[in-house]
mmCIF file of all heavy atoms in Angstrom:
data_model
loop_
_atom_site.group_PDB
_atom_site.id
_atom_site.type_symbol
_atom_site.label_atom_id
_atom_site.label_comp_id
_atom_site.label_asym_id
_atom_site.label_seq_id
_atom_site.Cartn_x
_atom_site.Cartn_y
_atom_site.Cartn_z
ATOM 1 N N VAL A 1 -86.894 -132.981 80.349
ATOM 2 C CA VAL A 1 -85.641 -132.415 79.733
ATOM 3 C C VAL A 1 -86.121 -131.763 78.280
ATOM 4 O O VAL A 1 -86.970 -132.274 77.593
ATOM 5 C CB VAL A 1 -84.574 -133.510 79.436
ATOM 6 C CG1 VAL A 1 -85.110 -134.604 78.569
ATOM 7 C CG2 VAL A 1 -83.277 -132.813 79.064
ATOM 8 N N VAL A 2 -85.340 -130.621 77.968
ATOM 9 C CA VAL A 2 -85.739 -129.953 76.689
ATOM 10 C C VAL A 2 -84.978 -130.516 75.574
ATOM 11 O O VAL A 2 -83.988 -130.055 75.151
ATOM 12 C CB VAL A 2 -85.476 -128.495 76.794
ATOM 13 C CG1 VAL A 2 -85.992 -127.775 75.658
ATOM 14 C CG2 VAL A 2 -86.173 -127.916 78.091
ATOM 15 N N LEU A 3 -85.484 -131.621 74.997
ATOM 16 C CA LEU A 3 -85.032 -132.208 73.735
ATOM 17 C C LEU A 3 -86.216 -131.763 72.713
ATOM 18 O O LEU A 3 -87.232 -132.583 72.490
ATOM 19 C CB LEU A 3 -84.843 -133.632 73.711
ATOM 20 C CG LEU A 3 -83.599 -134.099 74.600
ATOM 21 C CD1 LEU A 3 -83.691 -135.636 74.921
ATOM 22 C CD2 LEU A 3 -82.372 -133.790 73.765
ATOM 23 N N GLN A 4 -86.006 -130.550 72.076
ATOM 24 C CA GLN A 4 -87.072 -130.030 71.288
ATOM 25 C C GLN A 4 -87.556 -130.950 70.101
ATOM 26 O O GLN A 4 -88.726 -130.927 69.747
ATOM 27 C CB GLN A 4 -86.601 -128.691 70.708
ATOM 28 C CG GLN A 4 -86.268 -127.695 71.767
ATOM 29 C CD GLN A 4 -85.303 -126.658 71.194
ATOM 30 O OE1 GLN A 4 -85.341 -126.191 70.078
ATOM 31 N NE2 GLN A 4 -84.267 -126.315 71.987
ATOM 32 N N GLY A 5 -86.760 -131.675 69.539
ATOM 33 C CA GLY A 5 -87.191 -132.527 68.425
ATOM 34 C C GLY A 5 -88.306 -133.431 68.782
ATOM 35 O O GLY A 5 -89.061 -133.915 68.048
ATOM 36 N N HIS A 6 -88.448 -133.812 70.097
ATOM 37 C CA HIS A 6 -89.463 -134.732 70.492
ATOM 38 C C HIS A 6 -90.845 -134.055 70.318
ATOM 39 O O HIS A 6 -91.866 -134.703 70.203
ATOM 40 C CB HIS A 6 -89.227 -135.122 71.896
ATOM 41 C CG HIS A 6 -88.356 -136.252 72.103
ATOM 42 N ND1 HIS A 6 -88.534 -137.588 71.994
ATOM 43 C CD2 HIS A 6 -86.933 -136.240 72.303
ATOM 44 C CE1 HIS A 6 -87.450 -138.433 72.098
ATOM 45 N NE2 HIS A 6 -86.398 -137.448 72.304
ATOM 46 N N HIS A 7 -90.939 -132.671 70.443
ATOM 47 C CA HIS A 7 -92.123 -131.956 70.348
ATOM 48 C C HIS A 7 -92.292 -131.241 68.995
ATOM 49 O O HIS A 7 -93.141 -130.499 68.958
ATOM 50 C CB HIS A 7 -92.291 -131.153 71.583
ATOM 51 C CG HIS A 7 -92.587 -131.920 72.753
ATOM 52 N ND1 HIS A 7 -93.692 -132.526 73.182
ATOM 53 C CD2 HIS A 7 -91.648 -132.254 73.848
ATOM 54 C CE1 HIS A 7 -93.472 -133.102 74.300
ATOM 55 N NE2 HIS A 7 -92.273 -132.987 74.716
ATOM 56 N N SER A 8 -91.447 -131.448 68.108
ATOM 57 C CA SER A 8 -91.433 -130.865 66.763
ATOM 58 C C SER A 8 -92.634 -131.247 65.968
ATOM 59 O O SER A 8 -92.854 -132.544 65.801
ATOM 60 C CB SER A 8 -90.164 -131.018 65.899
ATOM 61 O OG SER A 8 -90.467 -130.927 64.611
ATOM 62 N N PRO A 9 -93.723 -130.429 65.618
ATOM 63 C CA PRO A 9 -94.788 -130.890 64.803
ATOM 64 C C PRO A 9 -94.288 -131.634 63.511
ATOM 65 O O PRO A 9 -94.916 -132.664 63.094
ATOM 66 C CB PRO A 9 -95.612 -129.584 64.339
ATOM 67 C CG PRO A 9 -95.122 -128.648 65.484
ATOM 68 C CD PRO A 9 -93.715 -128.985 65.877
ATOM 69 N N SER A 10 -93.257 -131.288 62.896
ATOM 70 C CA SER A 10 -92.774 -131.916 61.645
ATOM 71 C C SER A 10 -92.360 -133.217 61.991
ATOM 72 O O SER A 10 -92.576 -134.233 61.220
ATOM 73 C CB SER A 10 -91.689 -130.994 61.007
ATOM 74 O OG SER A 10 -92.150 -129.771 60.616
ATOM 75 N N ALA A 11 -91.448 -133.419 63.171
ATOM 76 C CA ALA A 11 -90.962 -134.731 63.493
ATOM 77 C C ALA A 11 -92.185 -135.637 63.737
ATOM 78 O O ALA A 11 -92.304 -136.893 63.393
ATOM 79 C CB ALA A 11 -89.941 -134.661 64.565
ATOM 80 N N ARG A 12 -93.129 -135.150 64.580
ATOM 81 C CA ARG A 12 -94.295 -136.024 64.922
ATOM 82 C C ARG A 12 -95.031 -136.369 63.540
ATOM 83 O O ARG A 12 -95.467 -137.599 63.504
ATOM 84 C CB ARG A 12 -95.313 -135.153 65.706
ATOM 85 C CG ARG A 12 -94.700 -134.872 67.119
ATOM 86 C CD ARG A 12 -95.711 -134.064 67.871
ATOM 87 N NE ARG A 12 -97.017 -134.610 68.048
ATOM 88 C CZ ARG A 12 -98.078 -134.017 68.397
ATOM 89 N NH1 ARG A 12 -97.969 -132.561 68.605
ATOM 90 N NH2 ARG A 12 -99.218 -134.503 68.553
ATOM 91 N N PHE A 13 -95.176 -135.505 62.625
ATOM 92 C CA PHE A 13 -95.836 -135.857 61.392
ATOM 93 C C PHE A 13 -95.152 -136.976 60.556
ATOM 94 O O PHE A 13 -95.713 -137.889 60.085
ATOM 95 C CB PHE A 13 -96.025 -134.579 60.580
ATOM 96 C CG PHE A 13 -96.714 -134.862 59.303
ATOM 97 C CD1 PHE A 13 -97.944 -135.483 59.163
ATOM 98 C CD2 PHE A 13 -96.153 -134.288 58.101
ATOM 99 C CE1 PHE A 13 -98.520 -135.737 57.934
ATOM 100 C CE2 PHE A 13 -96.807 -134.413 56.915
ATOM 101 C CZ PHE A 13 -97.972 -135.288 56.759
ATOM 102 N N VAL A 14 -93.746 -136.800 60.561
ATOM 103 C CA VAL A 14 -92.959 -137.765 59.666
ATOM 104 C C VAL A 14 -93.082 -139.138 60.455
ATOM 105 O O VAL A 14 -93.118 -140.164 59.849
ATOM 106 C CB VAL A 14 -91.586 -137.199 59.574
ATOM 107 C CG1 VAL A 14 -90.664 -138.343 58.973
ATOM 108 C CG2 VAL A 14 -91.580 -136.120 58.634
ATOM 109 N N ALA A 15 -92.981 -139.129 61.856
ATOM 110 C CA ALA A 15 -93.068 -140.379 62.561
ATOM 111 C C ALA A 15 -94.431 -141.107 62.231
ATOM 112 O O ALA A 15 -94.502 -142.350 62.011
ATOM 113 C CB ALA A 15 -92.906 -140.051 64.089
ATOM 114 N N ASP A 16 -95.422 -140.228 62.152
ATOM 115 C CA ASP A 16 -96.726 -140.784 61.861
ATOM 116 C C ASP A 16 -96.783 -141.398 60.380
ATOM 117 O O ASP A 16 -97.468 -142.446 60.210
ATOM 118 C CB ASP A 16 -97.887 -139.754 62.019
ATOM 119 C CG ASP A 16 -98.237 -139.350 63.358
ATOM 120 O OD1 ASP A 16 -97.761 -140.206 64.200
ATOM 121 O OD2 ASP A 16 -98.823 -138.365 63.615
ATOM 122 N N LEU A 17 -96.289 -140.732 59.482
ATOM 123 C CA LEU A 17 -96.088 -141.186 58.094
ATOM 124 C C LEU A 17 -95.430 -142.583 58.069
ATOM 125 O O LEU A 17 -95.930 -143.530 57.345
ATOM 126 C CB LEU A 17 -95.488 -140.239 57.217
ATOM 127 C CG LEU A 17 -96.231 -138.847 56.856
ATOM 128 C CD1 LEU A 17 -95.150 -137.824 56.186
ATOM 129 C CD2 LEU A 17 -97.475 -139.077 56.132
ATOM 130 N N LEU A 18 -94.373 -142.693 58.741
ATOM 131 C CA LEU A 18 -93.680 -143.966 58.797
ATOM 132 C C LEU A 18 -94.421 -145.015 59.344
ATOM 133 O O LEU A 18 -94.507 -146.234 58.918
ATOM 134 C CB LEU A 18 -92.326 -143.835 59.529
ATOM 135 C CG LEU A 18 -91.238 -142.901 58.904
ATOM 136 C CD1 LEU A 18 -90.003 -143.002 59.783
ATOM 137 C CD2 LEU A 18 -90.946 -143.162 57.467
ATOM 138 N N ALA A 19 -95.143 -144.688 60.452
ATOM 139 C CA ALA A 19 -95.926 -145.737 61.126
ATOM 140 C C ALA A 19 -97.177 -146.173 60.289
ATOM 141 O O ALA A 19 -97.672 -147.290 60.329
ATOM 142 C CB ALA A 19 -96.592 -145.086 62.452
ATOM 143 N N GLU A 20 -97.607 -145.285 59.455
ATOM 144 C CA GLU A 20 -98.755 -145.634 58.506
ATOM 145 C C GLU A 20 -98.281 -146.358 57.222
ATOM 146 O O GLU A 20 -99.060 -146.906 56.395
ATOM 147 C CB GLU A 20 -99.437 -144.359 58.040
ATOM 148 C CG GLU A 20 -100.018 -143.572 59.168
ATOM 149 C CD GLU A 20 -100.488 -142.121 58.650
ATOM 150 O OE1 GLU A 20 -100.254 -141.793 57.484
ATOM 151 O OE2 GLU A 20 -101.017 -141.445 59.596
ATOM 152 N N GLY A 21 -96.830 -146.508 57.088
ATOM 153 C CA GLY A 21 -96.362 -147.319 56.017
ATOM 154 C C GLY A 21 -96.306 -146.414 54.730
ATOM 155 O O GLY A 21 -96.259 -147.079 53.637
ATOM 156 N N ARG A 22 -96.214 -145.191 54.721
ATOM 157 C CA ARG A 22 -96.366 -144.368 53.554
ATOM 158 C C ARG A 22 -95.161 -144.502 52.701
ATOM 159 O O ARG A 22 -95.192 -144.225 51.382
ATOM 160 C CB ARG A 22 -96.465 -142.852 53.855
ATOM 161 C CG ARG A 22 -97.819 -142.489 54.489
ATOM 162 C CD ARG A 22 -98.807 -142.486 53.402
ATOM 163 N NE ARG A 22 -98.621 -141.540 52.398
ATOM 164 C CZ ARG A 22 -98.992 -140.260 52.483
ATOM 165 N NH1 ARG A 22 -99.679 -139.868 53.480
ATOM 166 N NH2 ARG A 22 -98.770 -139.432 51.439
ATOM 167 N N ILE A 23 -93.983 -144.944 53.227
ATOM 168 C CA ILE A 23 -92.829 -145.349 52.225
ATOM 169 C C ILE A 23 -92.460 -146.780 52.422
ATOM 170 O O ILE A 23 -91.357 -147.244 52.127
ATOM 171 C CB ILE A 23 -91.576 -144.396 52.621
ATOM 172 C CG1 ILE A 23 -91.162 -144.592 54.162
ATOM 173 C CG2 ILE A 23 -91.925 -142.983 52.271
ATOM 174 C CD1 ILE A 23 -89.852 -143.873 54.392
ATOM 175 N N GLY A 24 -93.428 -147.626 52.911
ATOM 176 C CA GLY A 24 -93.140 -148.977 53.097
ATOM 177 C C GLY A 24 -92.434 -149.227 54.313
ATOM 178 O O GLY A 24 -92.436 -148.491 55.316
ATOM 179 N N THR A 25 -91.532 -150.304 54.370
ATOM 180 C CA THR A 25 -90.649 -150.758 55.349
ATOM 181 C C THR A 25 -89.479 -149.757 55.462
ATOM 182 O O THR A 25 -88.636 -149.670 54.446
ATOM 183 C CB THR A 25 -90.290 -152.031 55.452
ATOM 184 O OG1 THR A 25 -91.434 -152.909 55.526
ATOM 185 C CG2 THR A 25 -89.373 -152.480 56.622
ATOM 186 N N LEU A 26 -89.177 -149.110 56.592
ATOM 187 C CA LEU A 26 -87.927 -148.191 56.595
ATOM 188 C C LEU A 26 -86.773 -149.070 56.428
ATOM 189 O O LEU A 26 -86.590 -149.984 57.218
ATOM 190 C CB LEU A 26 -88.017 -147.465 57.825
ATOM 191 C CG LEU A 26 -86.758 -146.515 58.008
ATOM 192 C CD1 LEU A 26 -86.904 -145.390 57.004
ATOM 193 C CD2 LEU A 26 -86.785 -145.890 59.486
ATOM 194 N N GLU A 27 -85.818 -148.716 55.605
ATOM 195 C CA GLU A 27 -84.610 -149.428 55.245
ATOM 196 C C GLU A 27 -83.393 -148.684 55.751
ATOM 197 O O GLU A 27 -82.328 -149.329 56.190
ATOM 198 C CB GLU A 27 -84.512 -149.989 53.908
ATOM 199 C CG GLU A 27 -85.629 -150.890 53.479
ATOM 200 C CD GLU A 27 -85.650 -151.293 52.040
ATOM 201 O OE1 GLU A 27 -84.846 -150.748 51.330
ATOM 202 O OE2 GLU A 27 -86.331 -152.335 51.743
ATOM 203 N N SER A 28 -83.352 -147.353 55.484
ATOM 204 C CA SER A 28 -82.211 -146.622 55.822
ATOM 205 C C SER A 28 -82.596 -145.149 56.088
ATOM 206 O O SER A 28 -83.683 -144.669 55.635
ATOM 207 C CB SER A 28 -81.133 -146.691 54.744
ATOM 208 O OG SER A 28 -81.445 -146.030 53.521
ATOM 209 N N VAL A 29 -81.664 -144.543 56.929
ATOM 210 C CA VAL A 29 -81.953 -143.194 57.302
ATOM 211 C C VAL A 29 -80.504 -142.468 57.113
ATOM 212 O O VAL A 29 -79.499 -142.968 57.510
ATOM 213 C CB VAL A 29 -82.246 -143.103 58.812
ATOM 214 C CG1 VAL A 29 -82.473 -141.642 59.096
ATOM 215 C CG2 VAL A 29 -83.672 -143.751 59.055
ATOM 216 N N ALA A 30 -80.609 -141.208 56.506
ATOM 217 C CA ALA A 30 -79.454 -140.469 56.449
ATOM 218 C C ALA A 30 -79.627 -138.995 56.759
ATOM 219 O O ALA A 30 -80.622 -138.536 56.434
ATOM 220 C CB ALA A 30 -78.828 -140.474 54.913
ATOM 221 N N LEU A 31 -78.764 -138.581 57.585
ATOM 222 C CA LEU A 31 -78.844 -137.097 58.085
ATOM 223 C C LEU A 31 -77.497 -136.453 57.880
ATOM 224 O O LEU A 31 -76.429 -136.973 58.418
ATOM 225 C CB LEU A 31 -79.254 -137.170 59.550
ATOM 226 C CG LEU A 31 -79.318 -135.738 60.215
ATOM 227 C CD1 LEU A 31 -80.373 -134.816 59.620
ATOM 228 C CD2 LEU A 31 -79.571 -135.875 61.666
ATOM 229 N N VAL A 32 -77.607 -135.330 57.296
ATOM 230 C CA VAL A 32 -76.350 -134.495 57.182
ATOM 231 C C VAL A 32 -76.790 -133.105 57.774
ATOM 232 O O VAL A 32 -77.837 -132.611 57.371
ATOM 233 C CB VAL A 32 -75.980 -134.173 55.666
ATOM 234 C CG1 VAL A 32 -74.851 -133.267 55.670
ATOM 235 C CG2 VAL A 32 -75.559 -135.464 55.021
ATOM 236 N N ALA A 33 -76.046 -132.635 58.678
ATOM 237 C CA ALA A 33 -76.411 -131.450 59.485
ATOM 238 C C ALA A 33 -75.311 -130.581 59.794
ATOM 239 O O ALA A 33 -74.179 -131.066 60.030
ATOM 240 C CB ALA A 33 -77.250 -131.772 60.680
ATOM 241 N N GLU A 34 -75.520 -129.300 59.871
ATOM 242 C CA GLU A 34 -74.487 -128.256 60.175
ATOM 243 C C GLU A 34 -74.374 -128.042 61.682
ATOM 244 O O GLU A 34 -75.448 -128.022 62.394
ATOM 245 C CB GLU A 34 -74.794 -126.903 59.574
ATOM 246 C CG GLU A 34 -74.819 -127.038 58.016
ATOM 247 C CD GLU A 34 -75.153 -125.576 57.456
ATOM 248 O OE1 GLU A 34 -74.810 -124.540 58.089
ATOM 249 O OE2 GLU A 34 -75.493 -125.543 56.364
ATOM 250 N N GLY A 35 -73.207 -128.012 62.201
ATOM 251 C CA GLY A 35 -72.928 -127.996 63.695
ATOM 252 C C GLY A 35 -72.328 -126.710 64.180
ATOM 253 O O GLY A 35 -72.013 -126.657 65.296
ATOM 254 N N ALA A 36 -72.216 -125.692 63.317
ATOM 255 C CA ALA A 36 -71.686 -124.406 63.694
ATOM 256 C C ALA A 36 -72.688 -123.833 64.753
ATOM 257 O O ALA A 36 -73.861 -124.176 64.705
ATOM 258 C CB ALA A 36 -71.651 -123.451 62.546
ATOM 259 N N PRO A 37 -72.084 -123.049 65.801
ATOM 260 C CA PRO A 37 -70.855 -122.421 65.874
ATOM 261 C C PRO A 37 -69.577 -123.270 66.491
ATOM 262 O O PRO A 37 -68.685 -122.765 66.763
ATOM 263 C CB PRO A 37 -71.042 -121.249 66.768
ATOM 264 C CG PRO A 37 -72.104 -121.884 67.787
ATOM 265 C CD PRO A 37 -73.002 -122.800 66.903
ATOM 266 N N PHE A 38 -69.888 -124.620 66.624
ATOM 267 C CA PHE A 38 -68.859 -125.512 67.214
ATOM 268 C C PHE A 38 -68.032 -126.100 66.133
ATOM 269 O O PHE A 38 -68.554 -126.266 64.915
ATOM 270 C CB PHE A 38 -69.524 -126.589 68.083
ATOM 271 C CG PHE A 38 -70.307 -126.096 69.202
ATOM 272 C CD1 PHE A 38 -71.708 -126.012 69.130
ATOM 273 C CD2 PHE A 38 -69.747 -125.687 70.387
ATOM 274 C CE1 PHE A 38 -72.395 -125.573 70.250
ATOM 275 C CE2 PHE A 38 -70.458 -125.265 71.521
ATOM 276 C CZ PHE A 38 -71.873 -125.195 71.305
ATOM 277 N N GLY A 39 -66.831 -126.388 66.406
ATOM 278 C CA GLY A 39 -66.016 -127.187 65.507
ATOM 279 C C GLY A 39 -65.082 -126.469 64.509
ATOM 280 O O GLY A 39 -64.403 -127.137 63.720
ATOM 281 N N GLY A 40 -65.162 -125.250 64.394
ATOM 282 C CA GLY A 40 -64.326 -124.576 63.482
ATOM 283 C C GLY A 40 -63.077 -124.109 64.002
ATOM 284 O O GLY A 40 -62.592 -124.538 65.129
ATOM 285 N N ASN A 41 -62.277 -123.336 63.224
ATOM 286 C CA ASN A 41 -60.958 -122.864 63.744
ATOM 287 C C ASN A 41 -61.075 -121.588 64.557
ATOM 288 O O ASN A 41 -60.063 -120.829 64.881
ATOM 289 C CB ASN A 41 -60.012 -122.660 62.664
ATOM 290 C CG ASN A 41 -60.446 -121.601 61.619
ATOM 291 O OD1 ASN A 41 -61.271 -120.960 61.743
ATOM 292 N ND2 ASN A 41 -59.622 -121.638 60.481
ATOM 293 N N ARG A 42 -62.355 -121.033 64.758
ATOM 294 C CA ARG A 42 -62.676 -119.901 65.615
ATOM 295 C C ARG A 42 -63.735 -120.243 66.536
ATOM 296 O O ARG A 42 -64.558 -121.144 66.314
ATOM 297 C CB ARG A 42 -63.137 -118.708 64.739
ATOM 298 C CG ARG A 42 -62.087 -118.230 63.693
ATOM 299 C CD ARG A 42 -62.403 -116.920 63.107
ATOM 300 N NE ARG A 42 -63.664 -116.834 62.322
ATOM 301 C CZ ARG A 42 -63.769 -117.310 61.059
ATOM 302 N NH1 ARG A 42 -62.732 -117.649 60.437
ATOM 303 N NH2 ARG A 42 -65.005 -117.265 60.517
ATOM 304 N N ILE A 43 -63.829 -119.499 67.702
ATOM 305 C CA ILE A 43 -64.846 -119.687 68.709
ATOM 306 C C ILE A 43 -65.279 -118.256 69.199
ATOM 307 O O ILE A 43 -64.563 -117.492 69.368
ATOM 308 C CB ILE A 43 -64.212 -120.594 69.786
ATOM 309 C CG1 ILE A 43 -65.482 -121.138 70.658
ATOM 310 C CG2 ILE A 43 -63.304 -119.899 70.585
ATOM 311 C CD1 ILE A 43 -66.383 -122.130 70.053
ATOM 312 N N TRP A 44 -66.616 -118.380 69.437
ATOM 313 C CA TRP A 44 -67.134 -117.073 70.023
ATOM 314 C C TRP A 44 -66.570 -116.957 71.498
ATOM 315 O O TRP A 44 -66.367 -117.871 72.254
ATOM 316 C CB TRP A 44 -68.644 -117.123 70.150
ATOM 317 C CG TRP A 44 -69.297 -117.081 68.770
ATOM 318 C CD1 TRP A 44 -68.804 -116.901 67.586
ATOM 319 C CD2 TRP A 44 -70.769 -117.420 68.450
ATOM 320 N NE1 TRP A 44 -69.668 -116.980 66.590
ATOM 321 C CE2 TRP A 44 -70.935 -117.303 67.085
ATOM 322 C CE3 TRP A 44 -71.790 -117.815 69.276
ATOM 323 C CZ2 TRP A 44 -71.965 -117.662 66.501
ATOM 324 C CZ3 TRP A 44 -72.940 -118.079 68.678
ATOM 325 C CH2 TRP A 44 -73.115 -117.984 67.430
#
């Protein structure tokens, strides 16, 4: 299945950094992201 984030070089790198303990023990994750073109008062 095409879940592109699984093969993103950046995502792989950040996962490696966490596994190496570069920021210690992970305590929290926050993601804010844009979802357009869905969810507005207009639609294509």
Side-chain angles (χ1 to χ4, degrees):
V1 66
V2 185
L3 286 167
Q4 298 158 37
H6 282 272
H7 292 282
S8 159
S10 297
R12 292 175 59 194
F13 178 48
V14 172
D16 289 345
L17 292 173
L18 295 187
E20 293 166 5
R22 288 289 296 273
I23 60 171
T25 301
L26 182 65
E27 296 181 347
S28 68
V29 179
L31 173 65
V32 178
E34 298 183 24
F38 300 101
N41 62 4
R42 300 191 299 274
I43 193 73
W44 296 346

